[in-house]
């Protein structure tokens, strides 16, 4: 069957595809990433309950006591919600030690790591295929005796099919009738292309039509998503992903991209709740410390932001620049960037969302000012727009309701940074002091104290903090600080500019407080 015929046949079948998320196992092999036990639990809860993935691979057996604690907590939670069979742990052909370790954690599923290429079998294990098969049989039998379900990884399967297909067939022939639920086929070194995936899967399915095959992609050639889709197109029943594409070397197939393409391009069905993809991305970004690229599909900060004014104009004219990747689908919204490329259409979109109405001439003058700021590489956020409008149109800007009267911040070797702050809120002055993990942290803690003690109000929660300076690295360069805040059900972004980073952050903070105060 040709590729075009396969695609047509695929689209008629509309299969269901299992999604296994391996963020907590393979994703944790990202250089510099190590989740704490409670962080692994929080991610697992989100994946199982909210994102609704079919399975999660949460650890490798026997790694550490911390890992054992994490797996135990995850299994306990999964048992409480009736999804214990969805929690899987990587185990090894080690005579049953991995099975025992997983069982002690309360696990019910082992993903057994076998060798999928002759080279790995003979050069890493120093065993013959027959010896390796016998060892695998013993572990599968031992796991079954413990009431544990077994999935089998064929590590380096891609090179096995390329260099030693007879070995792969010998292995699967010997194991096909055992109590193995899934055979999981990894491109361990990320060397395959979609045509090879189709070819090798076709051979596997022709020889073993009764078996359930998963595909596990790595992204060394930036083909993990394409290869995953080729596997599904060729009959794979399960795909392995990680949140944000975390994983060793170049990472794994990112969940959000795989989900969107499976649904939109091939009409496949999954159990994924797409509205939760952005939230899980942010959670993993925070816990891992690995920032998501702004242009990462689906979850990147910029992917639903129109920059060019002509695009915003087209959006107003029968949504000429829309596609199926609507931001609301993923729990997000479309934004229109403010900068030198904005144009009047972008400005108009932002003004409309804020409820501000300007004449064409006023809009032109505001657009000119924003263009000037963009030429200086300054970031303009929607929350800055009312201030720019007031400045450009020479209106009397409303007097700030929240004013910084005075402050002192200090830092000393061996002591926690401190801050003393006096502010005026609606004509009354308040004062407080606090210590923190940094000067700005101490400053905000003092403000939080004032808002809680004297006003009995909740202070907005900091969501993101970004600092940038012009190229060149001069120590006297202006610092631009853009801070995002959780306020009610929305995100506020405000900007401060100063030669001092703390001062720039304080300016952004007081912009936010005045926006909040004006909305009360």
């Amino acid at each position: 069957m040709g590729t075009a015929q396969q695609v047509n046949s695929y689209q008629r079948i509309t299969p269901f595809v299992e999604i296994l998320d391996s963020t907590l196992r393979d994703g944790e092999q990202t250089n510099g990433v190590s989740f704490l036990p409670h962080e692994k639990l929080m991610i697992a809860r989100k994946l199982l309950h909210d994102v609704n993935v079919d399975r999660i691979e949460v650890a490798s057996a026997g790694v550490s006591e911390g890992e054992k604690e994490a797996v135990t907590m995850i299994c306990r939670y999964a048992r409480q919600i009736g999804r214990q069979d969805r929690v899987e742990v990587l185990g090894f052909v080690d005579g049953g030690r991995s099975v025992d370790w997983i069982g002690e954690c309360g696990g019910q599923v082992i993903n057994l790591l076998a060798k999928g290429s002759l080279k790995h079998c003979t050069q890493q294990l120093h065993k013959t295929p027959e010896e390796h098969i016998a060892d695998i049989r013993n572990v599968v039998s031992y796991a079954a005796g413990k009431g544990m379900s077994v999935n089998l990884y064929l590590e380096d399967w891609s090179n096995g099919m390329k260099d030693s297909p007879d070995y792969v067939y010998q292995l699967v022939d010997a194991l096909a009738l055992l109590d193995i639920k899934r055979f999981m086929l990894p491109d361990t070194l990320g060397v395959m292309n979609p045509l090879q995936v189709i070819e090798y899967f076709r051979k596997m399915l022709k020889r073993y039509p009764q078996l359930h095959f998963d595909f596990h992609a790595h992204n060394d050639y930036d083909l993990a998503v394409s290869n995953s889709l080729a596997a599904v197109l060729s009959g794979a029943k399960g795909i392995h992903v990680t949140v944000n594409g975390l994983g060793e070397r170049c990472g794994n197939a990112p969940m959000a991209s795989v989900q969107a393409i499976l649904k939109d391009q091939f009409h496949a069905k999954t159990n994924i709740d797409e509205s939760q993809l952005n939230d899980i991305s942010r959670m993993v970004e925070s816990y891992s410390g690995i920032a998501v690229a702004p242009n990462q599909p689906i979850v990147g900060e910029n992917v639903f932001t129109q920059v060019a004014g002509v695009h915003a104009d087209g959006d107003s004219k029968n949504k000429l620049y829309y596609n199926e990747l609507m931001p609301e689908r993923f729990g997000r919204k479309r934004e229109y960037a403010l900068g030198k490329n904005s144009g009047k259409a972008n400005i108009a979109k932002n003004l409309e969302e804020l409820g501000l109405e300007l004449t064409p001439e006023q809009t032109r003058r505001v657009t000119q000012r924003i263009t000037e700021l963009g030429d200086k590489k300054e970031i303009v956020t929607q929350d800055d727009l009312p201030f720019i409008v007031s400045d450009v149109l020479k209106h009397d800007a409303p007097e700030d309701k929240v004013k910084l009267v005075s402050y002192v911040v200090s830092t000393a070797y061996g002591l926690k940074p401190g801050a003393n702050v006096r502010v005026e809120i609606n004509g009354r002055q308040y004062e407080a002091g606090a210590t923190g993990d940094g000067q700005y942290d101490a400053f905000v803690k003092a403000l939080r104290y004032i808002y809680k003690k004297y006003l009995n109000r909740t202070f907005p929660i900091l969501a993101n903090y970004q600092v940038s300076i012009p190229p060149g690295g001069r120590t006297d360069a202006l610092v631009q600080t853009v801070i995002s805040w959780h306020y009610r059900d929305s995100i506020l972004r405000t900007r401060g500019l100063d030669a001092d980073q703390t001062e720039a952050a304080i300016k952004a903070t007081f912009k936010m407080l005045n926006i909040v105060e004006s909305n009360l």
Side-chain angles (χ1 to χ4, degrees), residues 414-456:
L415 298 175
K416 295 195 74 171
N420 288 289
V421 180
R422 178 178 292 173
V423 296
E424 181 180 305
I425 304 173
N426 293 319
R428 295 190 60 182
Q429 291 194 7
Y430 307 93
E431 186 173 344
T435 60
D437 292 329
Q439 291 180 345
Y440 179 67
D441 183 51
F443 185 91
V444 171
K445 283 182 176 177
L447 287 177
R448 287 187 188 281
Y449 180 83
I450 289 171
Y451 270 72
K452 182 177 181 180
K453 179 176 176 61
Y454 299 113
L455 304 178
N456 195 28

Side-chain angles (χ1 to χ4, degrees), residues 115-340:
K115 300 302 181 182
S117 68
L118 182 62
K119 184 181 295 185
H120 272 224
C121 178
T122 58
Q123 296 184 22
Q124 189 173 37
L125 297 182
H126 303 292
K127 293 197 173 186
T128 66
E130 292 77 15
E131 289 172 330
H132 189 38
I133 289 168
D135 291 341
I136 295 169
R137 284 178 176 274
N138 288 337
V139 177
V140 172
S141 176
Y142 185 75
K146 295 285 188 177
M148 193 172 293
S149 179
V150 179
N151 302 315
L152 187 73
Y153 270 117
L154 301 184
E155 186 183 13
D156 200 36
W157 168 80
S158 49
N159 278 319
M161 291 299 291
K162 176 177 175 286
D163 301 326
S164 53
D166 289 341
Y167 166 81
V168 176
Y169 299 145
Q170 178 185 1
L171 194 71
V172 181
D173 284 347
L175 303 174
L177 297 180
L178 297 185
D179 191 14
I180 296 173
K181 190 169 184 179
R182 301 175 183 89
F183 284 77
M184 306 194 294
L185 310 179
D187 181 17
T188 303
L189 301 181
V191 296
M192 299 181 79
N193 64 54
L195 294 178
Q196 290 171 317
V197 173
I198 292 172
E199 176 189 352
Y200 297 160
F201 257 89
R202 185 189 302 136
K203 290 178 177 177
M204 295 294 290
L205 284 162
K206 182 177 180 180
R207 190 177 181 104
Y208 310 105
Q210 79 282 10
L211 297 184
H212 174 121
F213 290 115
D214 281 3
F215 181 64
H216 180 105
H218 280 263
N219 203 36
D220 296 69
Y221 281 95
D222 204 18
L223 289 171
V225 173
S226 298
N227 286 341
S228 296
L229 299 175
V232 172
L233 183 66
S234 304
K237 294 181 179 179
I239 292 295
H240 296 192
V241 299
T242 60
V243 177
N244 299 337
L246 290 182
E248 197 166 20
R249 304 186 311 276
C250 300
N252 295 31
M255 179 196 294
S257 297
V258 169
Q259 165 63 24
I261 298 176
L262 279 176
K263 181 176 180 180
D264 294 357
Q265 303 292 339
F266 296 106
H267 311 292
K269 296 179 181 179
T270 72
N271 283 324
I272 298 294
D273 183 345
E274 294 182 338
S275 69
Q276 298 294 321
L277 290 174
N278 189 58
D279 285 351
I280 188 63
S281 173
R282 300 282 78 77
M283 176 184 283
V284 170
E285 179 182 41
S286 175
Y287 287 156
S288 68
I290 304 296
V292 174
N295 62 340
Q296 174 105 352
I298 314 302
V299 296
E301 182 179 358
N302 295 346
V303 296
F304 296 117
T305 300
Q306 301 281 39
V307 174
V310 65
H311 292 170
D313 180 62
D315 289 348
S316 298
K317 297 173 180 176
N318 202 28
K319 300 180 179 179
L320 297 179
Y321 289 91
Y322 281 22
N323 58 24
E324 289 188 69
L325 298 174
M326 301 296 286
E328 294 78 11
R329 172 178 160 189
F330 305 105
R332 303 186 63 184
K333 68 175 185 176
R334 192 172 302 280
E335 297 181 0
Y336 296 88
L338 297 170
K340 65 181 181 180

Side-chain angles (χ1 to χ4, degrees), residues 367-430:
T367 302
Q368 182 178 356
R369 174 59 60 86
I370 290 174
T371 301
E372 291 169 357
L373 291 170
D375 280 334
K376 297 176 182 177
K377 293 192 175 183
E378 290 194 27
I379 297 172
V380 181
T381 72
Q382 188 185 74
D383 295 315
D384 290 321
L385 197 51
F387 298 93
I388 294 173
V389 170
S390 296
D391 179 52
V392 169
L393 302 185
K394 306 303 180 186
H395 290 164
D396 290 331
E399 186 177 358
D400 287 345
K401 296 183 179 181
V402 184
K403 300 177 182 178
L404 178 61
V405 178
S406 62
Y407 77 93
V408 175
V409 293
S410 62
T411 184
Y413 181 77
L415 298 175
K416 295 195 74 171
N420 288 289
V421 180
R422 178 178 292 173
V423 296
E424 181 180 305
I425 304 173
N426 293 319
R428 295 190 60 182
Q429 291 194 7
Y430 307 93

